[in-house]
Amino acid sequence: MAVQFNHTIVLSRNREESAAFLAGILGLEVGEPYAVFLPVRTANDVVLDFATVDTEIPPQHYAFLVSEEEFDAILERLVGAGVPVFADPQREHRGRINRGDGGRGVYFVDPSGHGMEAFTRPYGSDPDSPLNDVTEEVPGAC
């Protein structure tokens, strides 16, 4: 069997809130609890197991490759929910998306402070396109 990524534990202040937030934004479902975990499964069967902890949570980064149609829906849900969006992981370009690699990308923060990213083209897929240098404004974004 080839090596495959199966799951990761996502530390959160409140597993229900964080799992519901991410599932809602990405158009996924929250699964049934398993021990201390609340799972959110992606289309390629990778599971994010949300766990509530009562300690300092170091922010992590989670990136999701999505179709153009899924990106439109995700961006619409983010704007509709009033979630700040950014074109870059440093959060310097608020209210914008990036056009890296000939696709589109957006960054946002979950309720526990983790950096989330949705993008339509894998990094390096268009070597003639700048990574995050080209941005565009998102109407209605905060």
Side-chain angles (χ1 to χ4, degrees):
M1 169 189 273
V3 175
Q4 298 180 17
F5 186 68
N6 179 264
H7 71 278
T8 191
I9 297 171
V10 182
L11 302 180
S12 58
R13 293 185 188 101
N14 178 308
R15 72 180 189 171
E16 287 81 9
E17 178 186 29
S18 291
F21 171 81
L22 186 64
I25 294 298
L26 296 180
L28 301 173
E29 294 184 17
V30 176
E32 292 298 317
Y34 176 76
V36 300
F37 305 114
L38 192 58
V40 174
R41 183 178 303 274
T42 65
N44 61 337
D45 279 334
V46 172
V47 177
L48 292 97
D49 283 319
F50 287 83
T52 300
V53 295
D54 187 22
T55 185
E56 184 74 22
I57 300 173
Q60 299 293 311
H61 176 76
Y62 300 92
F64 303 92
L65 181 61
V66 301
S67 70
E68 290 289 338
E69 295 77 20
E70 289 166 327
F71 187 89
D72 289 337
I74 288 166
L75 192 57
E76 184 177 317
R77 288 189 286 266
L78 287 166
V79 171
V83 175
V85 298
F86 303 88
D88 61 310
Q90 299 82 14
R91 301 182 207 146
E92 295 174 355
H93 300 283
R94 187 176 180 146
R96 304 182 76 81
I97 63 169
N98 70 64
R99 300 295 301 204
D101 284 296
R104 296 183 291 165
V106 65
Y107 295 84
F108 56 100
V109 178
D110 89 333
S112 293
H114 296 302
M116 302 290 176
E117 176 185 8
F119 60 105
T120 61
R121 296 283 303 267
Y123 293 127
S125 61
D126 183 354
D128 295 326
S129 175
L131 183 58
N132 286 332
D133 295 341
V134 180
T135 68
E136 73 182 51
E137 188 173 347
V138 177
C142 60

